[in-house]
Amino acid sequence: MTVQDTVPWPPTVIRVRYAETDAMGVVHHATYPVWFEVARTDLMHHLGLPYRDVEARGYYLMLSGLNVEYRRAARYDDELRIVARLSSVRSRTMTFTYEVLRGDELLATGETRHIATDQTYRPARLPDDVLSLLQAPGRARLPGT
């Protein structure tokens, strides 16, 4: 199932720290996947499904693929918005897409693919209530949340 990209997710706002830059004053390429993780974690909270809750139920969402496309340089002290979207969900896999923006300027795009596993790291089908929440964001909540 594909989740609509038009759902307005609140972006994650990050101010570039000096430690994230290289000797040229440009954000190091390895920083972007870390920002993706921050935005993905924020998105999961927004959906009512924090990673902590997923793990408490006996599942991990392991990274199975990562792609970053760099377009423009981000620099120290830039205020950036990272927009994360859940672009597809299946019983065992999901894909998130990302945009890194400085104002209206697109600096980078990316994608992470994840596979659900049990706590022994074997692929596992996510429970129906979790799938329902991920496939219809904003309309469902896990029991007790």
Side-chain angles (χ1 to χ4, degrees):
M1 169 169 189
T2 300
V3 178
Q4 292 183 11
D5 282 340
T6 58
V7 177
W9 311 120
T12 296
V13 177
I14 292 177
R15 185 165 299 278
V16 177
R17 297 165 289 219
Y18 189 77
E20 295 170 323
T21 63
D22 60 19
M24 296 177 287
V26 173
V27 171
H28 191 272
H29 66 274
T31 303
Y32 290 79
V34 175
W35 291 344
F36 292 172
E37 181 181 356
V38 172
R40 184 173 62 250
T41 299
D42 287 350
L43 174 57
M44 293 294 284
H45 274 275
H46 177 75
L47 293 175
L49 187 60
Y51 274 112
R52 176 178 284 162
D53 293 354
V54 174
E55 291 177 356
R57 294 188 60 179
Y59 299 91
Y60 296 123
L61 301 178
M62 296 183 71
L63 185 70
S64 62
L66 166 69
N67 181 56
V68 184
E69 297 289 328
Y70 305 97
R71 298 171 184 267
R72 302 252 190 288
R75 299 185 181 279
Y76 171 69
D77 206 36
D78 282 351
E79 183 176 279
L80 306 177
R81 289 180 297 120
I82 297 90
V83 178
R85 292 182 177 92
L86 182 55
S87 63
S88 74
V89 177
R90 296 181 182 230
S91 63
R92 291 179 172 86
T93 63
M94 61 190 64
T95 302
F96 294 85
T97 60
Y98 309 90
E99 293 177 339
V100 179
L101 300 126
R102 178 178 50 223
D104 292 331
E105 183 181 20
L106 182 63
L107 303 183
T109 59
E111 176 183 274
T112 58
R113 293 175 306 284
H114 303 262
I115 185 164
T117 71
D118 62 21
Q119 291 184 335
T120 65
Y121 307 110
R122 291 191 175 119
R125 185 182 194 289
L126 289 168
D128 288 338
D129 60 329
V130 171
L131 287 171
S132 176
L133 179 61
L134 294 172
Q135 291 171 342
R139 287 183 278 193
R141 288 286 182 250
L142 289 176
T145 61

